[in-house]
Amino acid sequence: DVIVMVPDIQTYAPHVQAVFGRIPPDDPRYLPYSVADQPDRGAAPLLVALEHLLTLPESRFTVSDILDLLDVPALRHRFGFDEAGLPTLRRWIEGAGIRWGLDGAQKESLGLPPQTQNSWAFGLRRLLLGYAVGHGDTWQDTAPYGEVGGLDASLLGPLSRLLDQLEQSWRELRAPAAPATWAARLRALLAAFFASDDNSDGDRLGRLDGALDDWLEACAEAGLDEPLPLDIVREHWLESIDASRLSQRFMGGAVSFGTLMPMRAIPFRVVCLLGMNDGDYPRQQTPADFDLMAQPGQSLPGDRSRREDDRYLFLEALLSARDALHVSWVGRSARDNAPLPPSILVGQLRDYLAAGWQPAEGDGDLLGALTVEYPLQPFSRRYFGADADPRIFTYAREWQQAHRLEPAASMPAELAPWQPEAPLALAQLQSFLARPVRFFFNQRLKVYLGGEEAEAPDDEPFALGGLERYQAIQATLQAAVAADAPAPAVVDAAVRRLGEQGLLPVGGFGELWRENIAGEARALAAHWHDADLRWPRVEDKFELRHAAHGLVLEDWLADLRRPAPGQAGVDYVRLELVQGSLRSARSRALRLDKLVGPWVAHLFAHAGGLAVETRVIALDAQPCFPALPPDVARRWLDDLLGALAHGMRTPLPLARKAAFAWILCEREGKDAATAARQCYDRDESGQRVAEVDEDAYLQRAWPSFQAMLDAGFVRWLPPYRALADALRAGDEA
């Protein structure tokens, strides 16, 4: 009954699926449909996977390539992969340091050094060793990946079989061979990688096998028996699959979508022509350089013209419509909303109608009565307004319900008071003061922005980013601090293990990074061991509790140390290790934003009645928080819990770096607002990294400092001002 034709179905097919495929069959609005003229090659998952397998000799075997293969149901069925376990397997692959390459030999075939690090052989060895020993020591230069265990470990068997089969096929497909040998290889490839009970995939496998028979028959008739390279065999085989399907499921559903092409002059009740844009139809085809018929003055009567063919197809479609003809084009520019003309054929049709007919009433514009300008968005109010054009309507009742919502039912400015199921831990309060807006999104809304759907890493590391460098130094530092003395051998062993885990570059780049990481870890470990000797550890630990504003903070305070002789007014000393430098490279002032965690623990200890001196150990500074009066600590901690209670109802207009910039300039009598704005807002020159650029949550809630300032930024500064005042008192003491 209904046919929809477009200049190029490949452009429209995803949109057709998005519109018609989103409604389930049990919905009254569901319309069965079919999309014809789509080549299987590049669209059917099985053929996409096969085309990739036929390029194995040139493949880099990246993580994304292998994961794409695992998305094909026929391949998963052959190797026994559980679809539900693929996210776990993806996490293991990334954690094991796999990036690309089967092994050293495969990398060497591409003209590269035969490095096995970050290859599939390297990662699989780590995964299997991790299953055997857990988080154990390095064995034969292989560091185990200890996350593998339980029933999920069964994923390693199919992965190992897949990699073995990929290596075998990679070796076989590299050598040229005669047609008969190629047919045997390709049939073996199909049998080794695909097994499906799906009718569509089964039909494709049958057609692939039949195409090989036809090719062998043609080669025998031509007497072709010389060795052929893979690329010639591959292109002929895959192209023959699409060439053998002329019908392409035409008229397979109630609504048929297809390309404007000859031999479709079939009477339909409704004919729709989409994409009749100027420049898109008639279709333009750039002639080849060697096409002499396309040269000026060379065409003769009777030569084929693509424009004339499209003109005939347009007339054919017009005459095929029995009840209605619908012609659509993009009438407005997406850039400036300027009017755009339709195809020249549509323009000629409109001119012909305007010249030959008048409206039934005798007055008015016929083209205006026949032409409908639809809104761009499906949720436009023009679809639902009472005074709207009756020709503009929609069956999308979801948008209609959205427009019927009363203003009073809109989302409140603040959420209900937060009532955590358990007492707060000290780490939660530290996380809140460090990033108040992020804490609100994560803990109250359960929203996590940025990096959740990151692409699979395909490149081995040649340099470490800020986070990777921090994690590498942190792992090395933990091993050095756990040792009894700052022995260089402990640091060297920890750095070497990072390389065995595939976290560091290879070659000269790796040596430079090893020296950088080991140097900083040794210096920090030396500072820590000096402080450890000066303030020896004691076994005392205390369970502290503090309640305010309906919130309860409860946690253990451990890692306490004996004060030095003559250190009066102090019960204990706490040491906090902060990685990196504490002083700004430009002003050499202390970076107070890195002291938030130690400060919260310091407040908690004094609110619980312990007189503690907190010392922060860093590379270039060792600031100290002195003991506080208990009533002062309780008041400051109450203010912090109050900020948390309010910050869990609505995002606080607060960012710690901008807050400290304001406080320090205010103390020095400078323009605090300008300093905070320069710290927070983007720098158009690109000379610095702004705080708002570092945090997706701040970008979401407070895109500019002025918005944060107008929302009450200054009101929430006291928790940070207390930190600055206490640290200043410690420096003066």
Side-chain angles (χ1 to χ4, degrees):
D1 289 338
V2 180
I3 186 170
V4 183
M5 293 186 286
V6 299
D8 182 13
I9 194 61
Q10 291 294 90
T11 304
Y12 281 81
H15 305 285
V16 173
Q17 179 66 30
V19 172
F20 284 78
R22 66 184 177 85
I23 299 178
D26 57 351
D27 193 300
R29 299 172 295 173
Y30 174 75
L31 289 176
Y33 70 100
S34 65
V35 182
D37 308 322
Q38 280 189 284
D40 280 349
R41 183 180 179 182
L46 186 144
L47 292 181
V48 173
L50 177 62
E51 187 167 7
H52 175 73
L53 292 173
L54 293 176
T55 60
L56 287 182
E58 302 91 30
S59 175
R60 295 179 69 244
F61 292 91
T62 61
V63 170
S64 59
D65 289 341
I66 305 302
L67 292 179
D68 288 344
L69 289 178
L70 295 180
D71 285 335
V72 180
L75 188 141
R76 289 200 307 268
H77 184 67
R78 165 59 69 193
F79 290 95
F81 282 100
D82 181 13
E83 185 178 4
L86 293 184
T88 301
L89 187 62
R90 177 191 178 103
R91 187 176 70 251
W92 288 352
I93 289 172
E94 183 175 352
I98 302 172
R99 296 297 180 265
W100 72 279
L102 278 177
D103 51 23
Q106 190 271 327
K107 290 185 177 182
E108 191 175 18
S109 69
L110 299 176
L112 299 172
Q115 293 284 350
T116 59
Q117 182 174 320
N118 301 116
S119 67
W120 285 96
F122 165 85
L124 184 60
R125 188 177 174 88
R126 289 196 63 203
L127 292 171
L128 293 173
L129 184 60
Y131 173 68
V133 303
H135 295 279
D137 297 330
T138 299
W139 180 74
Q140 294 187 357
D141 298 330
T142 300
Y145 182 72
E147 301 297 327
V148 181
L151 297 178
D152 291 335
S154 60
L155 294 168
L156 295 184
L159 178 63
S160 178
R161 292 195 298 272
L162 173 61
L163 294 177
D164 290 342
Q165 188 61 52
L166 286 172
E167 182 179 5
Q168 179 181 345
S169 300
W170 168 72
R171 296 184 184 279
E172 291 178 350
L173 296 177
R174 295 173 64 190
T181 305
W182 272 121
R185 287 180 181 177
L186 298 179
R187 286 194 171 100
L189 185 75
L190 292 178
F193 284 97
F194 303 110
S196 176
D197 53 1
D198 180 77
N199 293 333
S200 298
D201 284 344
D203 174 65
R204 293 186 182 97
L205 292 173
R207 288 191 287 113
L208 286 168
D209 188 78
L212 288 176
D213 290 335
D214 296 340
W215 179 59
L216 284 177
E217 184 178 349
C219 290
E221 291 178 357
L224 178 63
D225 196 26
E226 63 184 53
L228 299 175
L230 172 62
D231 51 355
I232 293 178
V233 178
R234 175 182 61 221
E235 290 304 315
H236 177 80
W237 191 30
L238 294 177
E239 286 181 0
S240 64
I241 298 302
D242 288 332
S244 63
R245 299 189 68 200
L246 298 179
S247 62
Q248 299 286 332
R249 292 187 70 242
F250 180 56
M251 293 185 65
V255 180
S256 300
F257 291 85
T259 302
L260 270 162
M261 60 190 337
M263 304 303 293
R264 289 202 171 156
I266 303 173
F268 289 89
R269 294 187 60 189
V270 178
V271 174
C272 303
L273 301 179
L274 303 187
M276 297 289 105
N277 308 319
D278 184 33
D280 292 342
Y281 197 85
R283 289 165 286 203
Q284 300 179 2
Q285 188 175 16
T286 303
D289 294 339
F290 55 81
D291 186 359
L292 299 181
M293 295 176 60
Q295 300 296 326
Q298 298 298 319
S299 61
L300 297 175
D303 291 345
R304 182 176 182 182
S305 170
R306 185 61 181 266
R307 294 182 62 86
E308 293 301 323
D309 288 350
D310 283 346
R311 180 183 296 272
Y312 169 76
L313 293 176
F314 184 82
L315 177 62
E316 187 180 67
L318 188 152
L319 297 177
S320 299
R322 293 164 52 198
D323 293 349
L325 173 68
H326 176 90
V327 182
S328 174
W329 70 92
V330 178
R332 295 281 181 175
S333 170
R335 177 174 298 177
D336 56 5
N337 204 39
L340 295 178
S343 164
I344 186 173
L345 301 180
V346 178
Q348 291 176 355
L349 176 63
R350 287 165 57 84
D351 293 342
Y352 186 72
L353 292 175
W357 282 271
Q358 295 294 331
E361 292 79 4
D363 297 323
D365 180 16
L366 175 65
L367 292 181
L370 294 177
T371 305
V372 181
E373 185 172 346
Y374 289 93
L376 176 64
Q377 304 295 348
F379 49 80
S380 172
R381 291 188 179 275
R382 291 179 58 195
Y383 284 112
F384 308 101
D387 55 346
D389 188 336
R391 298 176 297 176
I392 299 178
F393 65 95
T394 179
Y395 292 101
R397 56 176 178 268
E398 297 85 357
W399 295 119
Q400 188 175 20
Q401 294 171 359
H403 284 293
R404 287 176 178 174
L405 291 177
E406 299 295 333
S410 60
M411 183 177 176
E414 293 184 358
L415 302 178
W418 184 46
Q419 296 178 348
E421 298 178 356
L424 294 173
L426 181 60
Q428 290 178 285
L429 193 59
Q430 292 171 326
S431 178
F432 166 76
L433 190 59
R435 293 178 174 85
V437 178
R438 177 182 296 188
F439 192 84
F440 168 78
F441 277 93
N442 293 166
Q443 301 299 322
R444 191 68 199 270
L445 302 184
K446 306 301 180 184
V447 171
Y448 299 86
L449 303 178
E452 293 300 320
E453 297 294 336
E455 296 182 358
D458 290 340
D459 298 326
E460 59 186 293
F462 286 96
L464 301 184
L467 179 60
E468 289 83 0
R469 182 178 182 275
Y470 174 86
Q471 292 172 340
I473 295 178
Q474 188 70 18
T476 307
L477 196 57
Q478 289 177 356
V481 169
D484 296 333
V490 176
V491 175
D492 294 340
V495 174
R496 185 168 59 252
R497 185 176 176 86
L498 292 176
E500 295 165 350
Q501 294 172 345
L503 300 177
L504 299 180
V506 297
F509 294 105
E511 292 299 326
L512 293 175
W513 279 105
R514 286 182 177 87
E515 294 174 4
N516 180 280
I517 294 171
E520 182 168 335
R522 288 193 194 100
L524 271 174
H527 289 316
W528 175 267
H529 283 287
D530 290 342
D532 188 51
L533 293 175
R534 183 178 179 184
W535 295 285
R537 189 190 304 268
V538 297
E539 299 299 328
D540 299 347
K541 63 178 181 179
F542 300 90
E543 185 179 11
L544 304 180
R545 188 176 187 275
H546 186 84
H549 300 280
L551 300 176
V552 177
L553 178 63
E554 187 175 325
D555 210 332
W556 287 88
L557 195 67
D559 192 22
L560 301 174
R561 299 169 180 275
R562 185 182 304 114
Q567 196 169 356
V570 176
D571 298 332
Y572 298 98
V573 173
R574 289 190 74 253
L575 301 181
E576 290 273 1
L577 186 62
V578 175
Q579 183 181 317
S581 59
L582 271 183
R583 295 193 179 276
S584 171
R586 181 178 301 177
S587 63
R588 304 304 299 167
L590 282 176
R591 291 187 54 188
L592 303 184
D593 58 285
K594 302 185 72 172
L595 302 177
V596 168
W599 166 245
V600 175
H602 188 73
L603 275 183
F604 187 43
H606 288 85
L610 297 177
V612 176
E613 182 182 81
T614 301
R615 292 188 169 270
V616 181
I617 310 298
L619 275 177
D620 54 354
Q622 296 186 9
C624 169
F625 288 113
L628 299 172
D631 56 336
V632 174
R634 294 189 190 98
R635 186 177 72 251
W636 283 347
L637 190 57
D638 288 348
D639 292 343
L640 180 53
L641 288 174
L644 173 60
H646 191 276
M648 294 301 284
R649 301 180 64 180
T650 184
L652 282 186
L654 196 59
R656 70 184 193 284
K657 291 184 180 180
F660 285 123
W662 180 290
I663 292 168
L664 294 179
C665 286
E666 186 180 54
R667 179 182 294 172
E668 298 173 1
K670 299 179 180 179
D671 187 355
T674 300
R677 181 176 288 104
Q678 291 177 350
C679 176
Y680 187 85
D681 284 341
R682 291 183 174 89
D683 181 15
E684 299 299 335
S685 64
Q687 298 297 320
R688 59 175 176 81
V689 178
E691 186 173 12
V692 70
D693 292 328
E694 298 176 336
D695 196 327
Y697 301 91
L698 290 176
Q699 297 174 23
R700 173 73 176 178
W702 311 109
S704 67
F705 179 75
Q706 188 61 45
M708 195 163 56
L709 186 64
D710 295 340
F713 171 78
V714 180
R715 173 190 172 189
W716 302 105
L717 290 179
Y720 296 114
R721 186 175 282 116
L723 185 157
D725 293 342
L727 189 64
R728 183 178 185 182
D731 291 341
E732 293 173 351

